[in-house]
Protein backbone atom coordinates (compact mmCIF):
# COMPACT_ATOMS: atom_id res chain seq x y z
CA UNK A 1 0.00 0.00 0.00
CA UNK A 2 1.43 3.36 -1.03
CA UNK A 3 2.11 5.69 1.88
CA UNK A 4 1.33 9.18 0.69
CA UNK A 5 2.47 12.21 2.62
CA UNK A 6 0.66 11.77 5.94
CA UNK A 7 0.24 15.44 6.75
CA UNK A 8 -1.18 16.44 3.37
CA UNK A 9 -3.37 13.31 3.22
CA UNK A 10 -5.08 14.37 6.43
CA UNK A 11 -5.84 17.93 5.34
CA UNK A 12 -9.46 18.66 4.36
CA UNK A 13 -10.02 19.69 0.73
CA UNK A 14 -10.93 23.40 0.39
CA UNK A 15 -14.67 23.44 0.93
CA UNK A 16 -15.28 26.69 -0.90
CA UNK A 17 -13.37 25.40 -3.96
CA UNK A 18 -15.09 21.99 -3.97
CA UNK A 19 -18.55 23.43 -3.33
CA UNK A 20 -18.07 25.99 -6.08
CA UNK A 21 -17.23 23.16 -8.48
CA UNK A 22 -20.27 21.11 -7.33
CA UNK A 23 -22.68 24.06 -7.69
CA UNK A 24 -21.23 24.83 -11.15
CA UNK A 25 -21.83 21.21 -12.18
CA UNK A 26 -25.44 21.38 -10.90
CA UNK A 27 -25.87 24.67 -12.78
CA UNK A 28 -24.97 22.96 -16.06
CA UNK A 29 -27.89 20.54 -15.62
CA UNK A 30 -30.23 23.08 -14.04
CA UNK A 31 -29.53 26.72 -14.95
CA UNK A 32 -31.86 27.92 -12.18
CA UNK A 33 -29.21 27.00 -9.56
CA UNK A 34 -27.76 30.16 -7.98
CA UNK A 35 -24.09 29.64 -7.21
CA UNK A 36 -22.87 32.00 -4.51
CA UNK A 37 -20.14 29.68 -3.16
CA UNK A 38 -17.13 31.31 -4.76
CA UNK A 39 -15.10 34.34 -3.86
CA UNK A 40 -14.90 35.90 -7.28
CA UNK A 41 -15.86 39.25 -8.74
CA UNK A 42 -18.54 38.87 -11.42
CA UNK A 43 -17.01 41.71 -13.47
CA UNK A 44 -14.65 41.26 -16.41
CA UNK A 45 -11.02 42.26 -15.93
CA UNK A 46 -10.77 45.93 -16.98
CA UNK A 47 -10.17 46.29 -20.69
CA UNK A 48 -6.91 48.25 -20.54
CA UNK A 49 -5.27 45.57 -18.38
CA UNK A 50 -6.08 42.93 -21.01
CA UNK A 51 -4.86 45.19 -23.84
CA UNK A 52 -1.49 45.60 -22.12
CA UNK A 53 -1.07 41.82 -21.90
CA UNK A 54 -1.97 41.39 -25.58
CA UNK A 55 0.72 43.96 -26.35
CA UNK A 56 3.23 42.17 -24.11
CA UNK A 57 2.53 38.87 -25.87
CA UNK A 58 2.95 40.46 -29.30
CA UNK A 59 6.26 41.89 -28.10
CA UNK A 60 7.39 38.39 -27.15
CA UNK A 61 7.48 38.92 -23.39
CA UNK A 62 7.16 35.17 -22.88
CA UNK A 63 10.35 34.10 -21.15
CA UNK A 64 11.40 33.61 -17.53
CA UNK A 65 11.22 36.89 -15.67
CA UNK A 66 13.20 38.06 -12.62
CA UNK A 67 12.27 35.50 -9.95
CA UNK A 68 11.27 38.32 -7.57
CA UNK A 69 8.96 39.87 -10.19
CA UNK A 70 9.42 42.68 -12.71
CA UNK A 71 11.41 45.55 -11.18
CA UNK A 72 8.91 48.22 -12.32
CA UNK A 73 5.96 46.29 -10.85
CA UNK A 74 7.75 45.78 -7.51
CA UNK A 75 8.71 49.47 -7.39
CA UNK A 76 5.11 50.49 -8.15
CA UNK A 77 3.79 48.20 -5.39
CA UNK A 78 6.28 49.66 -2.90
CA UNK A 79 5.05 53.14 -3.89
CA UNK A 80 1.40 52.04 -3.52
CA UNK A 81 2.11 50.60 -0.07
CA UNK A 82 3.68 53.88 1.02
CA UNK A 83 1.15 56.29 -0.44
CA UNK A 84 -2.05 54.29 0.14
CA UNK A 85 -1.21 52.24 3.22
CA UNK A 86 1.54 54.21 4.97
CA UNK A 87 3.84 51.16 4.76
CA UNK A 88 7.45 52.07 4.14
CA UNK A 89 9.33 49.49 2.03
CA UNK A 90 11.40 49.16 -1.14
CA UNK A 91 11.08 47.09 -4.32
CA UNK A 92 13.51 44.57 -2.74
CA UNK A 93 10.93 43.83 -0.02
CA UNK A 94 8.33 42.72 -2.59
CA UNK A 95 7.87 39.28 -4.16
CA UNK A 96 5.37 38.76 -6.98
CA UNK A 97 3.52 35.46 -6.54
CA UNK A 98 0.96 33.42 -8.49
CA UNK A 99 -1.99 34.69 -6.40
CA UNK A 100 -2.35 35.79 -2.80
CA UNK A 101 -2.95 32.19 -1.73
CA UNK A 102 0.54 31.13 -2.74
CA UNK A 103 1.95 34.18 -0.96
CA UNK A 104 0.24 32.95 2.23
CA UNK A 105 1.71 29.49 1.63
CA UNK A 106 5.26 30.82 1.14
CA UNK A 107 5.10 33.01 4.23
CA UNK A 108 3.74 30.24 6.46
CA UNK A 109 6.25 27.69 5.14
CA UNK A 110 9.10 30.12 5.78
CA UNK A 111 8.04 30.90 9.35
CA UNK A 112 6.77 27.60 10.73
CA UNK A 113 8.86 24.68 11.94
CA UNK A 114 7.19 21.33 12.72
CA UNK A 115 5.30 21.66 16.00
CA UNK A 116 5.11 25.46 15.90
CA UNK A 117 1.76 27.10 16.46
CA UNK A 118 -0.01 29.74 14.39
CA UNK A 119 -2.96 31.67 15.80
CA UNK A 120 -5.81 32.43 13.40
CA UNK A 121 -9.03 34.23 14.14
CA UNK A 122 -12.31 32.46 13.43
CA UNK A 123 -14.54 32.76 11.54
CA UNK A 124 -11.61 32.92 9.12
CA UNK A 125 -10.52 31.93 5.65
CA UNK A 126 -10.60 28.15 5.04
CA UNK A 127 -7.03 27.88 3.77
CA UNK A 128 -5.14 29.29 6.78
CA UNK A 129 -5.37 26.23 9.04
CA UNK A 130 -4.72 23.85 6.13
CA UNK A 131 -1.61 25.73 5.02
CA UNK A 132 -0.33 25.77 8.61
CA UNK A 133 -0.94 22.01 8.85
CA UNK A 134 0.74 21.41 5.49
CA UNK A 135 3.78 23.15 6.97
CA UNK A 136 3.82 20.75 9.93
CA UNK A 137 2.45 23.43 12.26
CA UNK A 138 -0.57 23.57 14.54
CA UNK A 139 -3.33 26.06 13.81
CA UNK A 140 -4.76 27.51 17.04
CA UNK A 141 -8.17 29.15 16.59
CA UNK A 142 -9.29 32.21 18.51
CA UNK A 143 -13.01 32.45 18.16
CA UNK A 144 -14.59 35.88 17.72
CA UNK A 145 -18.25 36.36 18.49
CA UNK A 146 -20.94 37.78 16.21
CA UNK A 147 -22.84 39.09 19.26
CA UNK A 148 -19.73 41.15 20.03
CA UNK A 149 -19.39 42.25 16.39
CA UNK A 150 -16.22 40.22 16.11
CA UNK A 151 -14.21 42.48 18.41
CA UNK A 152 -10.67 41.32 19.23
CA UNK A 153 -9.47 41.36 22.85
CA UNK A 154 -5.88 40.93 23.92
CA UNK A 155 -6.91 38.39 26.57
CA UNK A 156 -8.28 36.05 23.89
CA UNK A 157 -4.93 36.10 22.09
CA UNK A 158 -3.06 35.62 25.37
CA UNK A 159 -5.22 32.57 26.16
CA UNK A 160 -4.25 31.01 22.81
CA UNK A 161 -0.54 31.80 23.02
CA UNK A 162 2.15 29.36 24.15
CA UNK A 163 5.93 29.21 23.94
CA UNK A 164 5.46 27.51 20.54
CA UNK A 165 3.44 30.40 19.03
CA UNK A 166 5.34 31.70 16.00
CA UNK A 167 2.71 33.41 13.93
CA UNK A 168 -0.48 35.43 14.15
CA UNK A 169 -2.60 35.42 10.97
CA UNK A 170 -4.84 38.44 10.42
CA UNK A 171 -7.33 39.22 7.67
CA UNK A 172 -9.13 42.54 7.36
CA UNK A 173 -11.58 42.97 5.67
CA UNK A 174 -12.39 39.46 6.74
CA UNK A 175 -13.53 36.53 4.66
CA UNK A 176 -16.21 35.30 5.56
CA UNK A 177 -17.67 37.94 7.94
CA UNK A 178 -16.82 41.20 6.16
CA UNK A 179 -15.50 42.64 9.43
CA UNK A 180 -12.85 45.38 9.21
CA UNK A 181 -10.57 45.78 12.24
CA UNK A 182 -11.35 48.94 14.20
CA UNK A 183 -8.66 51.09 15.81
CA UNK A 184 -9.53 49.41 19.13
CA UNK A 185 -9.05 45.93 17.63
CA UNK A 186 -5.67 46.95 16.24
CA UNK A 187 -4.64 48.42 19.61
CA UNK A 188 -5.53 45.13 21.35
CA UNK A 189 -3.57 43.15 18.76
CA UNK A 190 -0.60 45.48 19.08
CA UNK A 191 -0.59 45.19 22.88
CA UNK A 192 -0.46 41.41 22.50
CA UNK A 193 2.35 41.58 19.93
CA UNK A 194 4.45 43.96 22.03
CA UNK A 195 4.33 41.41 24.85
CA UNK A 196 5.32 38.60 22.46
CA UNK A 197 8.30 39.88 20.44
CA UNK A 198 8.98 36.50 18.79
CA UNK A 199 5.58 36.25 17.14
CA UNK A 200 5.47 37.24 13.46
CA UNK A 201 2.36 38.53 11.72
CA UNK A 202 0.83 37.61 8.39
CA UNK A 203 -1.54 40.38 7.35
CA UNK A 204 -3.80 39.25 4.53
CA UNK A 205 -5.09 42.46 2.94
CA UNK A 206 -6.58 41.01 -0.24
CA UNK A 207 -9.98 42.76 0.26
CA UNK A 208 -8.44 46.08 1.26
CA UNK A 209 -9.97 48.03 -1.65
CA UNK A 210 -13.51 46.75 -1.00
CA UNK A 211 -14.78 48.64 2.05
CA UNK A 212 -18.12 50.36 2.73
CA UNK A 213 -19.36 53.58 4.30
CA UNK A 214 -16.53 55.07 6.39
CA UNK A 215 -14.71 51.82 7.04
CA UNK A 216 -11.03 51.81 6.27
CA UNK A 217 -8.72 48.79 6.36
CA UNK A 218 -5.50 49.79 8.11
CA UNK A 219 -2.32 47.78 7.76
CA UNK A 220 -0.43 46.83 10.93
CA UNK A 221 2.70 47.09 8.79
CA UNK A 222 2.23 50.88 8.84
CA UNK A 223 3.00 50.88 12.57
CA UNK A 224 6.75 51.58 12.97
CA UNK A 225 6.85 49.40 16.12
CA UNK A 226 5.59 46.41 14.13
CA UNK A 227 6.47 47.00 10.48
CA UNK A 228 9.47 44.65 10.45
CA UNK A 229 7.44 41.82 11.95
CA UNK A 230 4.53 41.99 9.52
CA UNK A 231 4.37 40.15 6.20
CA UNK A 232 1.69 41.76 4.04
CA UNK A 233 -0.17 39.63 1.48
CA UNK A 234 -2.22 41.23 -1.26
CA UNK A 235 -3.08 40.69 -4.91
CA UNK A 236 -5.17 41.59 -7.93
CA UNK A 237 -7.89 38.91 -7.81
CA UNK A 238 -10.46 40.89 -5.87
CA UNK A 239 -9.50 44.53 -6.49
CA UNK A 240 -9.20 44.18 -10.27
CA UNK A 241 -11.39 41.13 -11.01
CA UNK A 242 -8.33 39.05 -11.95
CA UNK A 243 -8.99 35.77 -10.10
CA UNK A 244 -8.07 33.59 -13.09
CA UNK A 245 -4.79 35.40 -13.72
CA UNK A 246 -3.24 34.06 -10.54
CA UNK A 247 -1.17 37.04 -9.55
CA UNK A 248 -0.52 38.52 -6.13
CA UNK A 249 2.36 39.64 -3.97
CA UNK A 250 3.87 39.73 -0.53
CA UNK A 251 5.88 42.37 1.30
CA UNK A 252 8.43 41.30 3.87
CA UNK A 253 11.06 43.50 5.51
CA UNK A 254 12.80 40.89 7.64
CA UNK A 255 15.09 37.89 7.31
CA UNK A 256 12.20 35.63 6.36
CA UNK A 257 12.44 37.11 2.85
CA UNK A 258 15.53 35.17 1.69
CA UNK A 259 13.92 31.98 3.06
CA UNK A 260 10.69 32.74 1.16
CA UNK A 261 12.67 33.53 -1.98
CA UNK A 262 14.56 30.22 -1.84
CA UNK A 263 11.32 28.25 -1.60
CA UNK A 264 9.90 30.27 -4.47
CA UNK A 265 12.97 29.69 -6.68
CA UNK A 266 12.68 25.94 -6.18
CA UNK A 267 8.93 25.74 -6.73
CA UNK A 268 7.61 28.41 -9.13
CA UNK A 269 10.76 30.09 -10.52
CA UNK A 270 8.81 33.23 -11.45
CA UNK A 271 5.40 34.61 -12.38
CA UNK A 272 4.74 35.06 -16.14
CA UNK A 273 6.26 38.37 -17.23
CA UNK A 274 3.37 39.24 -19.56
CA UNK A 275 0.82 38.85 -16.74
CA UNK A 276 2.91 41.19 -14.59
CA UNK A 277 2.62 43.81 -17.33
CA UNK A 278 -1.16 43.66 -16.85
CA UNK A 279 -0.80 43.86 -13.07
CA UNK A 280 1.24 47.04 -13.43
CA UNK A 281 -1.64 48.64 -15.34
CA UNK A 282 -4.14 47.29 -12.79
CA UNK A 283 -2.51 49.40 -10.08
CA UNK A 284 -3.60 52.49 -12.03
CA UNK A 285 -7.17 51.31 -12.62
CA UNK A 286 -8.54 53.24 -9.65
CA UNK A 287 -11.70 54.26 -11.43
CA UNK A 288 -12.56 50.68 -12.45
CA UNK A 289 -11.90 49.38 -8.92
CA UNK A 290 -14.12 52.13 -7.51
CA UNK A 291 -16.94 51.30 -9.93
CA UNK A 292 -16.85 47.68 -8.77
CA UNK A 293 -16.78 48.73 -5.12
CA UNK A 294 -19.84 50.90 -5.65
CA UNK A 295 -21.70 47.97 -7.25
CA UNK A 296 -20.84 45.71 -4.28
CA UNK A 297 -21.99 48.46 -1.95
CA UNK A 298 -25.37 48.67 -3.72
CA UNK A 299 -25.77 44.88 -3.59
CA UNK A 300 -24.86 44.84 0.08
CA UNK A 301 -27.64 47.37 0.72
CA UNK A 302 -30.03 45.22 -1.31
CA UNK A 303 -29.28 42.18 0.86
CA UNK A 304 -29.52 44.15 4.08
CA UNK A 305 -32.89 45.52 2.96
CA UNK A 306 -34.33 42.24 1.68
CA UNK A 307 -33.03 39.94 4.40
CA UNK A 308 -33.09 42.31 7.36
CA UNK A 309 -36.55 41.24 8.54
CA UNK A 310 -36.66 37.55 7.61
CA UNK A 311 -37.54 35.62 10.79
CA UNK A 312 -34.79 33.17 11.76
CA UNK A 313 -32.00 34.92 9.82
CA UNK A 314 -29.35 37.32 11.04
CA UNK A 315 -27.00 38.99 8.61
CA UNK A 316 -23.83 40.61 9.95
CA UNK A 317 -23.54 44.02 8.26
CA UNK A 318 -20.49 43.66 6.00
CA UNK A 319 -17.94 46.43 6.52
CA UNK A 320 -15.78 45.20 3.64
CA UNK A 321 -15.30 42.27 1.15
CA UNK A 322 -18.33 40.86 -0.71
CA UNK A 323 -19.79 38.15 1.51
CA UNK A 324 -23.08 37.85 3.33
CA UNK A 325 -22.41 35.92 6.53
CA UNK A 326 -25.80 34.74 7.66
CA UNK A 327 -26.77 33.08 10.90
CA UNK A 328 -29.67 30.63 10.70
CA UNK A 329 -31.68 30.25 13.84
CA UNK A 330 -32.21 26.47 13.39
CA UNK A 331 -31.30 23.20 15.10
CA UNK A 332 -29.48 21.71 12.11
CA UNK A 333 -25.75 22.27 11.66
CA UNK A 334 -24.34 24.49 8.92
CA UNK A 335 -23.38 21.57 6.67
CA UNK A 336 -26.97 20.25 6.71
CA UNK A 337 -28.48 23.69 6.08
CA UNK A 338 -26.07 24.44 3.21
CA UNK A 339 -26.89 21.06 1.61
CA UNK A 340 -30.64 21.65 2.00
CA UNK A 341 -30.30 25.16 0.57
CA UNK A 342 -28.55 23.77 -2.49
CA UNK A 343 -30.91 20.85 -3.00
CA UNK A 344 -34.24 22.45 -2.04
CA UNK A 345 -33.83 26.19 -2.74
CA UNK A 346 -31.09 25.76 -5.33
CA UNK A 347 -28.85 28.32 -3.68
CA UNK A 348 -25.16 27.44 -3.24
CA UNK A 349 -23.39 28.83 -0.16
CA UNK A 350 -20.50 27.60 1.98
CA UNK A 351 -21.30 26.18 5.46
CA UNK A 352 -19.91 28.17 8.38
CA UNK A 353 -18.02 25.28 9.95
CA UNK A 354 -15.60 25.43 6.99
CA UNK A 355 -14.45 28.77 8.47
CA UNK A 356 -13.98 27.35 11.95
CA UNK A 357 -17.33 28.74 13.13
CA UNK A 358 -18.52 26.72 16.11
CA UNK A 359 -20.92 29.16 17.72
CA UNK A 360 -24.04 28.55 15.58
CA UNK A 361 -25.37 27.71 12.13
CA UNK A 362 -23.88 30.08 9.56
CA UNK A 363 -23.65 30.03 5.77
CA UNK A 364 -21.51 32.34 3.62
CA UNK A 365 -22.94 33.67 0.34
CA UNK A 366 -20.96 35.78 -2.07
CA UNK A 367 -22.75 38.91 -3.23
CA UNK A 368 -20.48 39.34 -6.22
CA UNK A 369 -23.49 38.61 -8.44
CA UNK A 370 -26.03 40.71 -10.35
CA UNK A 371 -28.88 42.51 -8.58
CA UNK A 372 -31.38 40.21 -10.35
CA UNK A 373 -29.63 37.07 -9.12
CA UNK A 374 -29.42 38.46 -5.59
CA UNK A 375 -33.09 39.46 -5.58
CA UNK A 376 -34.07 35.95 -6.69
CA UNK A 377 -31.78 34.50 -4.01
CA UNK A 378 -33.47 36.60 -1.27
CA UNK A 379 -36.92 35.47 -2.48
CA UNK A 380 -35.88 31.82 -2.32
CA UNK A 381 -34.27 32.26 1.07
CA UNK A 382 -37.42 33.86 2.44
CA UNK A 383 -39.50 30.95 1.10
CA UNK A 384 -37.02 28.41 2.47
CA UNK A 385 -37.27 29.93 5.94
CA UNK A 386 -41.09 30.00 5.81
CA UNK A 387 -41.21 26.32 4.80
CA UNK A 388 -38.66 25.24 7.38
C1 LIG B 1 -8.93 35.87 2.66
C2 LIG B 1 -8.33 35.49 1.35
N1 LIG B 1 -7.00 35.53 1.21
C3 LIG B 1 -6.40 35.19 0.08
C4 LIG B 1 -7.15 34.78 -1.01
C5 LIG B 1 -6.40 34.36 -2.24
O1 LIG B 1 -6.71 35.05 -3.38
P1 LIG B 1 -5.87 34.81 -4.72
O2 LIG B 1 -5.00 33.62 -4.53
O3 LIG B 1 -6.89 34.63 -5.79
O4 LIG B 1 -5.04 36.07 -4.89
C6 LIG B 1 -8.54 34.68 -0.91
C7 LIG B 1 -9.34 34.17 -2.05
O5 LIG B 1 -10.47 33.82 -1.94
C8 LIG B 1 -9.15 35.07 0.30
O6 LIG B 1 -10.48 35.04 0.44
Amino acid sequence: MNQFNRIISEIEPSRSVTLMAKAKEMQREDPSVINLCGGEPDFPTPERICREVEKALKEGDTHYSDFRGNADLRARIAEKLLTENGVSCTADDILITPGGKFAVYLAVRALINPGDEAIWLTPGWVSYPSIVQASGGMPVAVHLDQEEEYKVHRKMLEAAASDRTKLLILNSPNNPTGKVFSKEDLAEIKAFLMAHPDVSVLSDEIYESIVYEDFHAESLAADPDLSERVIVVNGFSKSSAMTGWRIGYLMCRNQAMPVIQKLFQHTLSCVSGFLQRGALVALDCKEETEQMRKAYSRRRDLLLRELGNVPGLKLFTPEGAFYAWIRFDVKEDSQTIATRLLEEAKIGGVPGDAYGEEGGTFVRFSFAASDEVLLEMTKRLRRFMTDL
Side-chain angles (χ1 to χ4, degrees), residues 16 39-40 98-102 104 125 128 171 173-175 204-207 233-238 242-244 246-248 323 364:
S16 57
E40 97 155 327
K101 193 181 264 189
F102 200 72
V104 172
W125 187 42
Y128 300 135
N171 174 219
N174 174 274
N175 173 7
D204 181 346
E205 302 175 6
I206 197 104
Y207 295 99
V233 167
N234 207 332
F236 301 88
S237 289
K238 320 289 173 172
M242 291 168 68
T243 42
R246 311 311 303 129
I247 184 157
Y323 303 107
R364 187 202 79 170

Side-chain angles (χ1 to χ4, degrees), residues 45 49-50 53 98 241-247 274-276 278-279:
T45 303
I49 302 175
C50 301
V53 174
M242 291 168 68
T243 42
W245 292 55
R246 311 311 303 129
I247 184 157
F274 58 90
L275 296 182
Q276 296 186 56

Side-chain angles (χ1 to χ4, degrees), residues 290-306:
E290 178 58 10
Q291 288 306 324
M292 291 188 252
R293 192 199 66 79
K294 280 191 178 144
Y296 299 136
S297 177
R298 204 184 53 244
R299 294 160 179 185
R300 161 192 183 260
D301 293 347
L302 181 156
L303 288 184
L304 289 168
R305 191 177 64 237
E306 297 295 326

Side-chain angles (χ1 to χ4, degrees), residues 20-316:
M20 191 162 63
K22 183 181 169 195
K24 259 190 193 157
E25 215 174 273
M26 280 179 71
Q27 235 171 2
R28 267 197 295 276
E29 292 195 357
D30 178 355
S32 73
V33 170
I34 295 177
N35 182 0
L36 303 176
C37 299
E40 97 155 327
D42 58 320
F43 298 103
T45 303
E47 185 64 37
R48 50 185 170 139
I49 302 175
C50 301
R51 272 202 308 270
E52 178 63 21
V53 174
E54 284 167 17
K55 192 163 149 257
L57 284 169
K58 283 203 185 106
E59 288 170 10
D61 193 350
T62 53
H63 296 99
Y64 289 132
S65 59
D66 182 326
F67 79 91
R68 297 166 298 177
N70 292 353
D72 52 359
L73 178 59
R74 287 184 293 114
R76 179 70 184 80
I77 290 170
E79 182 200 316
K80 175 240 177 270
L81 281 164
L82 181 63
T83 54
E84 294 177 22
N85 309 94
V87 175
S88 173
C89 62
T90 71
D92 290 342
D93 303 322
I94 308 292
L95 179 73
I96 309 298
T97 60
K101 193 181 264 189
F102 200 72
V104 172
Y105 178 75
L106 289 167
V108 171
R109 282 305 304 258
L111 290 167
I112 293 286
N113 275 306
D116 285 347
E117 294 176 1
I119 299 177
W120 67 302
L121 309 181
T122 60
W125 187 42
V126 288
S127 293
Y128 300 135
S130 304
I131 291 174
V132 170
Q133 281 169 307
S135 310
M138 274 276 298
V140 178
V142 166
H143 188 250
L144 307 181
D145 195 350
Q146 191 190 37
E147 295 301 317
E148 266 224 69
E149 297 180 333
Y150 301 113
K151 283 193 177 68
V152 186
H153 299 290
R154 177 181 170 182
K155 63 176 189 293
M156 299 166 156
L157 300 172
E158 293 291 355
S162 79
D163 54 6
R164 282 172 302 180
T165 308
K166 284 286 154 53
L167 180 61
L168 172 64
I169 302 175
L170 303 172
N171 174 219
S172 170
N174 174 274
N175 173 7
T177 62
K179 152 96 179 180
V180 172
F181 286 139
S182 64
K183 287 208 179 316
E184 291 74 29
D185 294 319
L186 291 171
E188 295 281 317
I189 294 167
K190 180 174 178 179
F192 167 78
L193 288 168
M194 296 311 280
H196 297 268
D198 295 333
V199 175
S200 297
V201 181
L202 192 161
S203 178
D204 181 346
E205 302 175 6
I206 197 104
Y207 295 99
E208 163 221 18
S209 64
I210 307 168
V211 282
Y212 307 112
E213 299 172 25
D214 296 334
F215 290 99
H216 171 67
E218 268 179 53
S219 178
L220 261 193
D223 185 324
D225 294 332
L226 298 172
S227 58
E228 301 228 337
R229 290 165 64 183
V230 181
I231 297 180
V232 173
V233 167
N234 207 332
F236 301 88
S237 289
K238 320 289 173 172
S239 57
S240 307
M242 291 168 68
T243 42
W245 292 55
R246 311 311 303 129
I247 184 157
Y249 59 90
L250 64 78
M251 189 287 300
C252 176
R253 287 180 51 192
N254 62 45
Q255 283 312 303
M257 189 56 141
V259 182
I260 290 171
Q261 288 175 335
K262 269 193 285 186
L263 181 58
F264 190 71
Q265 288 168 351
H266 287 299
T267 49
L268 262 297
S269 300
C270 66
V271 168
S272 314
F274 58 90
L275 296 182
Q276 296 186 56
R277 296 262 300 263
L280 185 60
V281 173
L283 287 163
D284 288 327
C285 289
K286 298 289 170 223
E287 187 50 38
E288 290 90 333
T289 299
E290 178 58 10
Q291 288 306 324
M292 291 188 252
R293 192 199 66 79
K294 280 191 178 144
Y296 299 136
S297 177
R298 204 184 53 244
R299 294 160 179 185
R300 161 192 183 260
D301 293 347
L302 181 156
L303 288 184
L304 289 168
R305 191 177 64 237
E306 297 295 326
L307 298 176
N309 59 0
V310 178
L313 292 187
K314 185 169 178 204
L315 166 61
F316 178 74

